[in-house]
Amino acid sequence: MKQSNVPMVTFQPGGKSIAAPSHRSILELSAKAKVLIPTRCKGVAGCLMCKIEINDSSAVNAPTRAEELKLGPLLEQGIRLACQTKVCKEVTVQIPEDKLKSIVRKQLERLKQGVEEDDWLA
Ligand code: FES
């Protein structure tokens, strides 16, 4: 349920949205939304597993010192650490898929498309 004056964050792929109070990191919000963002360091900018892509850098806090040190030029490409990023206004977060998951998803999409084309021809 959307809370008034609280921005929403949308996680892609999947499209789940959740209210994003400013004191919560995107990593914390993803856990609340039951969206998996990998972590090994539990949110202390130590593992770099929680990389996400932000579509609008003005919608989140400025990069932390830890992000500047660890991500360097990736920051300019919109890459952030979910554990260090907090939402200021409505934003979409892209969670990179691991390679195996990406291959499986694309294969399933091709199969589904093939089934739909077969149905259309029948
Ligand atoms: S959770 Fe480890 S760097 Fe963000």
Side-chain angles (χ1 to χ4, degrees):
M1 178 169 37
K2 185 174 181 178
Q3 299 169 9
S4 62
N5 298 326
V6 177
M8 300 294 286
V9 59
T10 301
F11 296 98
Q12 295 292 353
K16 271 192 181 175
S17 292
I18 188 171
S22 60
H23 63 285
R24 297 279 184 181
S25 73
I26 288 176
L27 184 65
E28 293 170 316
L29 295 168
S30 71
K32 189 174 178 190
K34 300 190 183 336
V35 172
L36 178 65
I37 295 180
T39 175
R40 215 174 259 159
C41 72
K42 299 191 167 98
V44 296
C47 68
L48 303 184
M49 293 181 69
C50 68
K51 287 190 207 95
I52 53 172
E53 191 172 335
I54 300 290
N55 70 338
D56 177 3
S57 62
S58 72
V60 294
N61 63 313
T64 64
R65 182 78 181 124
E67 287 179 290
E68 288 174 353
L69 290 171
K70 297 190 175 202
L71 294 177
L74 290 176
L75 286 169
E76 294 168 19
Q77 298 170 29
I79 305 297
R80 298 288 303 268
L81 295 177
C83 65
Q84 303 296 300
T85 306
K86 296 178 179 175
V87 175
C88 307
K89 65 181 189 184
E90 190 161 324
V91 68
T92 298
V93 170
Q94 186 73 37
I95 303 167
E97 284 182 312
D98 70 56
K99 286 188 176 169
L100 178 60
K101 193 172 179 180
S102 173
I103 290 168
V104 170
R105 182 183 52 74
K106 286 176 185 168
Q107 187 65 24
L108 287 172
E109 286 172 2
R110 274 195 289 266
L111 286 170
K112 183 179 176 190
Q113 189 176 19
V115 168
E116 288 172 357
E117 287 172 5
D118 287 347
D119 289 347
W120 183 76
L121 293 173

